[in-house]
Amino acid sequence: NAGVTQTPKFRVLKTGQSMTLLCAQDMNHEYMYWYRQDPGMGLRLIHYSVGEGTTAKGEVPDGYNVSRLKKQNFLLGLESAAPSQTSVYFCASRRRTDKSNQPQHFGDGTRLSIL
Amino acid sequence: QQQVKQSPQSLIVQKGGISIINCAYENTAFDYFPWYQQFPGKGPALLIAIRPDVSEKKEGRFTISFNKSAKQFSLHIMDSQPGDSATYFCAAFSGGYQKVTFGTGTKLQVIP
């Protein structure tokens, strides 16, 4: 059982380049999230999705786009990378339930540097 | 705007001692408060969580204390061990658990 898998694990980009980060989960979870983690800032929510075909903005959505075409995948895109987007990106997923709070399962992160 | 304030930023505790990390929140709409543990190079992992209708929750050596009137909650790690050395984040959920705000993290070091 792989859980939440993020690819790539590391990437260096030049300013202005574009790229897509992939998150895949094999737990049939409905909710998926993208966060960025910066020193002294904790994790900040970029975008999230409550189901296939739906996405919503989080706390820091500017400069990012997302897509959830398949339930198991959540893609984060940077159309024109900027140095301010240098960060560690985490994907998470969780089950939707009305009865109890389910934990978020996190991937191991993508370390992105933009020069 | 930081909606969840976490302190201290770093903490050094002797093996066997008690580690205490505090969080304070502003938004009364928050209704689920988890703590996460993160080791270097890994994603955060849920440690323990509490809902505001409970004042305390204990799981093994980990305890959450929750003070709804003060809008504060804390993590207590009893009998701290070197293996507990990690960064700990508090978080607060609202909006049917779709929206979440994290604290800024506490780096805990447990020394032998």
Side-chain angles (χ1 to χ4, degrees):
Chain A
N1 189 347
V4 178
T5 303
Q6 292 184 233
T7 53
K9 297 188 185 305
F10 304 93
R11 186 73 183 268
V12 178
L13 289 179
K14 294 182 179 179
T15 298
Q17 287 184 317
S18 63
M19 79 162 295
T20 300
L21 281 65
L22 172 64
C23 176
Q25 53 94 5
D26 61 1
M27 298 171 283
N28 202 34
H29 285 172
E30 292 84 2
Y31 291 175
M32 296 187 75
Y33 308 77
W34 273 110
Y35 296 91
R36 59 178 290 172
Q37 184 176 38
D38 303 291
M41 300 289 287
L43 287 94
R44 291 182 292 169
L45 184 62
I46 304 171
H47 286 278
Y48 64 97
S49 169
V50 300
E52 184 178 328
T54 68
T55 63
K57 294 180 179 180
E59 181 184 355
V60 288
D62 294 342
Y64 305 95
N65 56 76
V66 289
S67 64
R68 183 98 181 267
L69 299 180
K70 295 182 179 180
K71 186 177 184 179
Q72 64 269 33
N73 296 335
F74 195 28
L75 279 63
L76 178 70
L78 286 74
E79 290 188 349
S80 179
S84 61
Q85 294 177 304
T86 293
S87 187
V88 181
Y89 292 85
F90 286 100
C91 176
S93 71
R94 64 177 289 272
R95 187 177 305 282
R96 174 177 55 85
T97 175
D98 294 328
K99 292 185 178 181
S100 63
N101 302 313
Q102 291 293 318
Q104 288 184 319
H105 296 259
F106 282 83
D108 285 338
T110 294
R111 285 145 186 82
L112 182 62
S113 292
I114 300 165
L115 307 177
Chain B
Q1 184 180 359
Q2 186 64 43
Q3 295 190 54
V4 177
K5 295 183 179 180
Q6 183 172 345
S7 63
Q9 189 174 7
S10 63
L11 183 62
I12 299 176
V13 174
Q14 204 86 25
K15 177 182 176 182
I18 302 173
S19 304
I20 302 174
I21 305 170
N22 301 298
C23 281
Y25 63 97
E26 300 168 0
N27 187 350
T28 55
F30 290 140
D31 51 13
Y32 176 61
F33 302 90
W35 283 91
Y36 291 86
Q37 180 187 56
Q38 184 180 29
F39 293 104
K42 295 294 184 181
L46 180 68
L47 193 61
I48 187 172
I50 198 167
R51 299 188 69 171
D53 53 352
V54 177
S55 62
E56 184 175 285
K57 184 175 182 180
K58 184 176 181 180
E59 291 184 1
R61 296 185 293 109
F62 302 92
T63 300
I64 297 179
S65 297
F66 188 84
N67 186 329
K68 188 174 182 178
S69 61
K71 293 187 283 187
Q72 295 176 348
F73 58 109
S74 60
L75 174 69
H76 295 235
I77 305 175
M78 312 299 287
D79 187 25
S80 299
Q81 299 297 312
D84 296 331
S85 297
T87 299
Y88 292 82
F89 292 94
C90 63
F93 279 73
S94 65
Y97 317 116
Q98 296 177 22
K99 298 182 180 180
V100 58
T101 299
F102 278 80
T104 52
T106 296
K107 188 172 183 179
L108 171 65
Q109 183 181 1
V110 181
I111 56 178

